[in-house]
Amino acid sequence: MSEDSSVENQHKGIARLGGLTGRWLASATILAVGIVIGGFALGDGIKRAQRADRAVTVKGLAERDVTADLATWTISYSATAPDLATAQASVDRDTVQIGAFFRELGFPADALQPTGVNVNQTKDNGVVSFTVRQRVSLRTTDIKRAQNAVRRQFDLVRRGVMLEEGSGMAYTFTRLNGIKPEMVAAATRDARSAAEQFAKDSGAEVGAIKNAAQGYFSIEARDGDSGGGWGQSDTPYKKVRVVTTIDFYLK
């Protein structure tokens, strides 16, 4: 081999080594840049995940005053006599008086319906007696007329009808489904307002809803009145209430 060929081969070897070194340095540089970028991305991802986990749980309240649209009055009365026929006849007379009472107040005949009857026989010192209990129910959407009937219920006593305990008017609000969406929206706004106050105090901002749970709708007497014992009546003036529990993201 000539001296020129040997020098040429040395130059080629050095060139190949330089090429390999350059490629290695380029690969190492790319890898290093990738690690740095990945580290930043990972760190940013962790921060975003931490921010995403920040949330506050608050409750929202919505209330609305409503008037009942259905009145139901269950009237219980009874008569006791030494024989069943006499007791039944007395109850029948009371039934006629009750029907006349409601007709005079302007209720249609089908507003009053019998709902149950019970016969009980007892013996006291060998003396047998029979008690007949009857129940009739008034059902009406005429709330003012129903209130007037309650105010005049003592007229039944004057007619000889002995009302038993538990004979009271009950008022019901049946249109709850019609106001549910608006009340849930109001409760949600109330919850967001509470969350915004919390966020303001903690130097954050309120984001989207994370979780939400609608509470139970309750319908109670508006002014604390309640039916119960003898002679007491329910009130048609009600308060509808709902409480929602909502988790808001904080950002």
Side-chain angles (χ1 to χ4, degrees), residues 30-48:
I30 293 172
L31 178 60
V33 172
I35 290 174
V36 171
I37 294 174
F40 278 118
L42 178 61
D44 186 58
I46 292 174
K47 290 180 180 179
R48 288 198 304 270

Side-chain angles (χ1 to χ4, degrees), residues 45-187:
I46 292 174
K47 290 180 180 179
R48 288 198 304 270
Q50 289 174 342
R51 288 196 297 268
D53 285 340
R54 294 180 63 197
V56 59
T57 301
V58 293
K59 293 184 181 297
L61 170 66
E63 293 181 325
R64 179 175 294 193
D65 291 338
V66 298
T67 300
D69 56 300
L70 175 66
T72 306
W73 190 2
T74 299
I75 300 175
S76 300
Y77 51 102
S78 64
T80 301
D83 60 274
L84 179 60
T86 302
Q88 183 63 62
S90 179
V91 167
D92 290 344
R93 284 193 298 271
D94 289 347
T95 301
V96 172
Q97 292 298 326
I98 292 170
F101 170 76
F102 284 109
R103 283 196 304 274
E104 291 168 9
L105 291 175
F107 290 99
D110 60 356
L112 194 66
Q113 296 293 331
T115 57
V117 63
N118 175 265
V119 178
N120 185 36
Q121 178 181 343
T122 60
K123 182 180 289 188
D124 186 13
N125 293 325
V127 179
V128 177
S129 63
F130 294 86
T131 300
V132 177
R133 284 186 171 84
Q134 178 84 30
R135 288 193 306 274
V136 294
S137 180
L138 173 76
R139 183 181 176 89
T140 179
T141 57
D142 192 336
I143 302 302
K144 289 186 177 181
R145 197 180 299 274
Q147 289 179 284
N148 184 43
V150 172
R151 285 191 291 267
R152 296 183 54 183
Q153 62 181 308
F154 198 74
D155 288 352
L156 286 172
V157 179
R158 294 191 182 98
R159 294 170 185 254
V161 180
M162 302 302 294
L163 300 178
E164 292 190 338
E165 184 174 359
S167 297
M169 185 78 77
Y171 296 97
T172 307
F173 179 69
T174 66
R175 299 192 298 269
L176 179 60
N177 286 338
I179 65 173
K180 272 185 176 181
E182 295 178 3
M183 291 195 66
V184 170

Side-chain angles (χ1 to χ4, degrees), residues 182-193:
E182 295 178 3
M183 291 195 66
V184 170
T188 302
R189 288 193 297 270
D190 185 60
R192 180 174 286 276
S193 177

Side-chain angles (χ1 to χ4, degrees), residues 224-248:
D225 300 330
S226 62
W230 191 92
Q232 293 186 5
S233 177
D234 190 12
T235 172
Y237 306 111
K238 308 290 185 179
K239 184 181 291 292
V240 183
R241 188 173 188 268
V242 65
V243 177
T244 59
T245 303
I246 302 179
D247 297 335
F248 288 99

Side-chain angles (χ1 to χ4, degrees), residues 18-38:
L20 290 173
T21 301
R23 286 195 295 272
W24 181 86
L25 288 174
S27 298
T29 301
I30 293 172
L31 178 60
V33 172
I35 290 174
V36 171
I37 294 174

